[in-house]
Amino acid sequence: MLDPARAERHPIMMGDSFEGRWSPARRLFRKGNLKLMHGKTCSLLRAGALLTLITLSPLFAQQENTILRSQLVLGNDDETAELCIDGSIAYVARGAFGVDIVDISNPLAPQKLLSLNPDPGGTVEIHDVQVHGGHLYAIDQSGVVDSNLGNFVGAYIYDVSTPAVPVLVNTLLWGDLNTPWSWRGAMSHNATLADIGSQTFLFVSSLITSGVEIFDVTDPQNIAWRAVVNPPILGAGAHDVSVRGTTLYTTWLQHGFTLHDLSALPTLSGIGDPYGPQSVPQLGWHSYSGAYTHGISPTANGSHVCTTDRYNGGRLRIFDVQSPSSITQVAEVVGSASTFPNNVDVEGDRACVSWFEDGLRIIDIADPAQPRMLGWYDTTPAAPSGNRAEGGFGVVANGSIGAYLTDCTGGLFVIDIQDEVTITSATYKKRNGEITIVAKSTASPGAVLTAVGHGVLTYQPGSNEYRGVFAVPSKPGSVTVTSSLGGEDTASFGGGRNR
């Protein structure tokens, strides 16, 4: 995060050019409206509601306020797609090459355990990966017969209780005449899994049916189709899916997004006319002019959703969905004309966005109506070409620390937000011969704070602060606290402060 003085010393953060058009920026700072390290903020009145609009300028530096922990190149190709994280293991969809399984227990040096190709002699297109309950779901959108099974496959399901030794336990076949519902999982594009009640369900966006097909995978070896969410309008096709609590969020590209109630899903038998009324009730549908709603991720409490419009000059949009029948956009972040966002993952107060040739952007949405850019990392620092096979593709937020990002050609990136440390109190007690240091971190609780020359501070969950008491032979002049995620602060024990 940025203070005005620092921003004025760095015209790159202010937007339009290296020359730095500072006067408008200073005015914005005085008004308290500047929310980005680069770009412009203004407010628009749309449909009677105040909408915050942020326009991002082209990036003039490869990174700002971020630290590249590691990059693992996965292949000399452009097949890298979505990813998921399960503990210390990353699963990366690699298109025609299947799935790469990566040990990320040391984020500074990730190690690929193996490449898993479900059909080495044939053609797969693994576009998405999900892990739940020790099982990997490799989502195949190829529409090509598996050379070993002699059938079409929508998903390959592996037991990955030992990640380095995956065991195939089932497939979602969609040409099997003995299971007439199975074709509904054909050519799956994106997927998610969720527990509803005591059951586990797989939600896939099917390129065959254009809807969201819902399967009971409580027992991965005995899959059953349960329900369908049909398109809200003729011609729409389901793209991204996300579940929070008992609500399903689905994007429909040119037709916006919908919310559906899943609370009754465990009671559905899957029997009936799949072309009839939707099996799960629709809570709301929001379509808007210029939509190409690609990715979607709700906030933890479900009050807002972040979506991406995937086209050049596209944007991240933030919607208030507390009243699903009357959804309202409250803010948007607009990219440069030659790049576009792909996916978004919200965790806590942060939205991590893969922005193709602009790489990764991390945005603070603690106040959804006033988003703030925290940092970025450009994985393809050359000038954008508008190539849809280059740059940031899949993204998974890593709490307050940063994000895991896949780059179409660059592989797996581990990127942390650079911490901002603030010492809130530094006191010396002569009688006890000790100093007490209290500090805050923008990356708490993931950061480790150290008082240089004294020791590590302890995180205090109740106050969201770090505290340390250390014995000293005499009163020090000052103390410096550093963060494991970069950043530091220095305070004087004489009452003055020195950053």
Side-chain angles (χ1 to χ4, degrees), residues 289-292 309-315 317 336-337 339-341 388:
S289 176
Y292 198 82
D309 280 321
R310 185 176 150 165
Y311 51 78
N312 283 350
R315 58 205 65 201
R317 299 179 190 263
S336 58
T339 64
F340 47 93
R388 290 173 182 256

Side-chain angles (χ1 to χ4, degrees), residues 94-361:
R94 295 273 292 123
F97 300 101
V99 180
D100 280 352
I101 303 178
V102 181
D103 182 344
I104 55 171
S105 56
N106 179 2
L108 300 178
Q111 298 291 322
K112 184 165 75 171
L113 299 177
L114 77 158
S115 293
L116 175 64
N117 193 328
D119 186 16
T123 301
V124 295
E125 189 178 348
I126 304 301
H127 184 267
D128 200 1
V129 283
Q130 297 291 329
V131 173
H132 187 282
H135 288 84
L136 165 68
Y137 296 76
I139 308 302
D140 185 5
Q141 67 172 15
S142 67
V144 176
V145 171
D146 182 290
S147 61
N148 294 316
L149 300 174
N151 214 324
F152 299 95
V153 178
Y156 296 86
I157 305 168
Y158 294 87
D159 181 335
V160 288
S161 52
T162 303
V165 189
V167 178
L168 183 68
V169 297
N170 207 347
T171 55
L172 189 60
L173 298 178
W174 55 274
D176 185 357
L177 297 180
N178 295 319
T179 52
W181 50 263
S182 66
W183 65 273
R184 303 192 65 81
M187 297 178 67
S188 305
H189 185 68
N190 279 356
T192 193
L193 289 117
D195 293 326
I196 309 293
S198 60
Q199 296 168 252
T200 302
F201 295 92
L202 170 69
F203 304 80
V204 298
S205 56
S206 171
L207 298 179
I208 289 290
T209 69
S210 296
V212 179
E213 302 298 334
I214 306 174
F215 299 90
D216 185 339
V217 293
T218 305
D219 178 359
Q221 298 188 50
N222 292 284
I223 302 173
W225 177 76
R226 280 292 176 259
V228 60
V229 173
N230 289 316
I233 190 172
L234 187 65
H239 191 270
D240 193 20
V241 286
S242 182
V243 174
R244 185 80 74 186
T246 57
T247 302
L248 169 68
Y249 304 82
T250 308
T251 62
W252 304 90
L253 300 178
Q254 296 96 328
H255 303 283
F257 64 93
T258 55
L259 282 69
H260 286 80
D261 181 8
L262 303 175
S263 56
L265 187 56
T267 67
L268 300 178
S269 66
I271 299 172
D273 180 6
Y275 297 103
Q278 296 176 148
S279 298
V280 293
Q282 179 176 293
L283 299 172
W285 170 32
H286 186 71
S287 187
Y288 50 91
S289 176
Y292 198 82
T293 317
H294 186 270
I296 190 166
S297 185
T299 57
N301 62 5
S303 64
H304 292 76
V305 297
C306 292
T307 68
T308 56
D309 280 321
R310 185 176 150 165
Y311 51 78
N312 283 350
R315 58 205 65 201
L316 173 78
R317 299 179 190 263
I318 305 175
F319 296 91
D320 184 332
V321 295
Q322 295 178 80
S323 176
S325 60
S326 182
I327 295 170
T328 304
Q329 183 177 337
V330 297
E332 60 185 46
V333 180
V334 184
S336 58
S338 54
T339 64
F340 47 93
N342 190 49
N343 289 321
V344 56
D345 187 36
V346 173
E347 185 171 344
D349 293 334
R350 296 180 178 181
C352 297
V353 189
S354 58
W355 214 290
F356 274 96
E357 289 184 284
D358 273 350
L360 170 72
R361 297 180 187 269

Side-chain angles (χ1 to χ4, degrees), residues 363-416:
I363 300 169
D364 184 333
I365 57 167
D367 179 355
Q370 297 289 331
R372 299 183 301 123
M373 180 70 75
L374 292 178
W376 73 79
Y377 189 91
D378 187 358
T379 55
T380 54
S385 63
N387 189 342
R388 290 173 182 256
E390 292 184 359
F393 193 96
V395 63
V396 174
N398 185 18
S400 62
I401 296 176
Y404 301 96
L405 180 80
T406 54
D407 180 282
C408 298
T409 57
L412 175 65
F413 287 74
V414 181
I415 301 169
D416 290 345

